C-alpha cells in the first residue's frame, strides 16, 4: 500500500464570498521509498498541502490515508500522535532548540514518540552519523553553519524512523554549497529507502527528486517521474 494516499482533497478558507479554494480535488499516491518534490508559485497551495500532509491541518473535503491510517478526520490529540510517530519534519528555518547540543536536539522527538530512554542516545548518535555530523554531537546550533544545522534537523527528522519525511523549503535559507550538502543527505536517505516529500520553488532542488509534482491554483497540473541519474563510471 502507498505511504500517502490522497483522494480528491479539497481545502477552502473563509466563508461566503470571501471563500478561497486553496486545494481543488488533489489526488496523489506516493509509494514507500519515493522522493517527491512539490513545486508551484506563491499562492498555488503548497503550504496548504504541506500542512495537511503533515497533519498540522485537516482538509475540507476528500480523504487522506497516511501509512494506511485515515487521518482526514482525526481530532487534534490523535493528529499530534500521528505527527510525533509517523512524520519527520524539516523546516526552512531549522527550528533547532538554541543553546542545546545537537545530540539533545536529535534525542527530543524520540521522547514524544515513546522511544525508551536507554535507546535514545545511541539512536541519536547513529542519526547524526548518517548526516555526517557525529563529531559535532556536542555542538550547539550557534556553533554550527546553516547547512550543518539543517543536517542536524534532518537527523532529528529521521531518528524516529517515520513513514514519511516531510521537508518544507529545506534549502530556502542556505547558500549553494550548503544546499548541495543537505540535498546529498536527502538523496542518501532516499537510497536507504526513506520516503521523502519536499516542497520547493527551486528547479535545482526539485531536480534531485525522483518525481516532480507541480501545483497551479490548487490543482496538480504536472506529475513527472524523473529519469534515474546517470551514474559516473
Ligand atoms: P503557497 O504555499 O503555494 O504559497 P498557500 O497554500 O499558502 O500557497 O495558499 C494557497 C491559497 O490559499 C492562497 O490563495 C492563499 O492566499 C490562501 N490561504 C492560505 N492560507 C490561508 C488562510 N489561513 N486563510 C485564508 N486564505 C489562505
Ligand atoms: P518555515 O520555516 O518553512 O516557514 P516554520 O519553521 O515556520 O516553517 O514552521 C511551520 C509550522 O510548523 C509552524 O506553525 C510551527 O509551529 C510548526 N512546527 C514547527 N516545528 C514543528 C514540529 N516539530 N512538529 C509539528 N509542528 C511544528
Amino acid at each position: 500500500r502507498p505511504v500517502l494516499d490522497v483522494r480528491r482533497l479539497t481545502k477552502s478558507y473563509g466563508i461566503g464570498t470571501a471563500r478561497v479554494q486553496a486545494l481543488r480535488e488533489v489526488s496523489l499516491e506516493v509509494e514507500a521509498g519515493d522522493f517527491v518534490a512539490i513545486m508551484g508559485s506563491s499562492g498555488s497551495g503548497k503550504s496548504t498541502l504541506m500542512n495537511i500532509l503533515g497533519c498540522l491541518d485537516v482538509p475540507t473535503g476528500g480523504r487522506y490515508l497516511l501509512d494506511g491510517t485515515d487521518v482526514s478526520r482525526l481530532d487534534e490529540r490523535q493528529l499530534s500522535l500521528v505527527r510525533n510517530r509517523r512524520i519527520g519534519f524539516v523546516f526552512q528555518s531549522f527550528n533547532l532548540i538554541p543553546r542545546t547540543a545537537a545530540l539533545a536536539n536529535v534525542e527530543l522527538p524520540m521522547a514524544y514518540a515513546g522511544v525508551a530512554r536507554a535507546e535514545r542516545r545511541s539512536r541519536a548518535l547513529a542519526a547524526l552519523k548518517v548526516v555526517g555530523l557525529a563529531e559535532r554531537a556536542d555542538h550547539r546550533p550557534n556553533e554550527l553553519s546553516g547547512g550543518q544545522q539543517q543536517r542536524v534537523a534532518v537527523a532529528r527528522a529521521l531518528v524516529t524512523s517515520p513513514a514519511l519525511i516531510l521537508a518544507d523549503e529545506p534549502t530556502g535559507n542556505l547558500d549553494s554549497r550548503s544546499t548541495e550538502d543537505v540535498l546529498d543527505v536527502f538523496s542518501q536517505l532516499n537510497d536507504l529507502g526513506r520516503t521523502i516529500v519536499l516542497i520547493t520553488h527551486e528547479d535545482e532542488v526539485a531536480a534531485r527528486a525522483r518525481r516532480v509534482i507541480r501545483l497551479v491554483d490548487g490543482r496538480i497540473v504536472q506529475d513527472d517521474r524523473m529519469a534515474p541519474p546517470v551514474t559516473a563510471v
Side-chain angles (χ1 to χ4, degrees):
R1 65 163 190 241
V3 172
L4 298 185
D5 186 354
V6 169
R7 308 252 183 94
R8 303 182 69 165
L9 209 65
T10 60
K11 178 70 178 180
S12 50
Y13 297 106
I15 47 164
T17 50
R19 202 162 174 84
V20 174
Q21 196 75 26
L23 293 178
R24 303 164 189 263
E25 307 218 336
V26 167
S27 295
L28 170 68
E29 281 188 22
V30 175
E31 299 294 333
D34 211 347
F35 182 0
V36 180
I38 296 176
M39 300 198 74
S41 54
S42 181
S44 60
K46 299 186 300 298
S47 302
T48 300
L49 182 57
M50 161 92 186
N51 287 340
I52 294 173
L53 295 182
C55 297
L56 297 159
D57 200 358
V58 289
T60 314
R63 206 156 70 111
Y64 170 29
L65 278 73
L66 171 62
D67 203 22
T69 302
D70 189 346
V71 292
S72 25
R73 273 151 197 92
L74 298 184
D75 64 29
E76 188 43 51
R77 191 190 58 84
Q78 294 166 315
L79 284 177
S80 160
L81 270 178
V82 172
R83 283 198 298 272
N84 289 331
R85 289 168 194 259
R86 304 212 199 185
I87 305 172
F89 291 93
V90 179
F91 298 98
Q92 179 170 353
S93 48
F94 321 141
N95 290 9
L96 298 177
I97 300 170
R99 294 183 290 282
T100 304
L103 187 69
N105 266 283
V106 176
E107 284 178 8
L108 191 66
M110 288 187 281
Y112 293 111
V115 175
R117 187 180 290 272
E119 256 187 63
R120 292 180 204 159
R121 176 143 308 210
S122 61
R123 279 177 65 170
L125 263 177
L128 282 172
K129 208 171 204 168
V130 169
V131 302
L133 289 174
E135 76 286 1
R136 303 285 179 147
D138 298 329
H139 289 232
R140 293 165 183 178
N142 65 354
E143 299 167 326
L144 299 168
S145 72
Q148 289 170 334
Q149 289 182 58
Q150 191 62 303
R151 281 150 64 199
V152 171
V154 172
R156 179 183 59 184
L158 70 91
V159 77
T160 52
S161 298
L164 171 68
I165 292 178
L166 197 52
D168 188 3
E169 298 278 3
T171 60
N173 284 339
L174 300 178
D175 61 25
S176 56
R177 171 73 204 284
S178 297
T179 292
E180 284 306 310
D181 290 346
V182 167
L183 292 175
D184 285 346
V185 168
F186 279 118
S187 292
Q188 185 196 341
L189 289 178
N190 182 237
D191 288 342
L192 292 170
R194 298 293 184 158
T195 310
I196 301 168
V197 173
L198 174 156
I199 289 179
T200 185
H201 60 266
E202 295 172 83
D203 289 322
E204 314 85 271
V205 175
R208 300 288 294 266
R210 291 177 190 269
R211 178 178 171 193
V212 177
I213 288 171
R214 191 175 296 274
L215 284 177
V216 173
D217 199 18
R219 285 192 181 90
I220 292 179
V221 298
Q222 189 186 329
D223 187 346
D224 289 339
R225 188 144 296 276
M226 311 296 274
V230 179
T231 316
V233 284

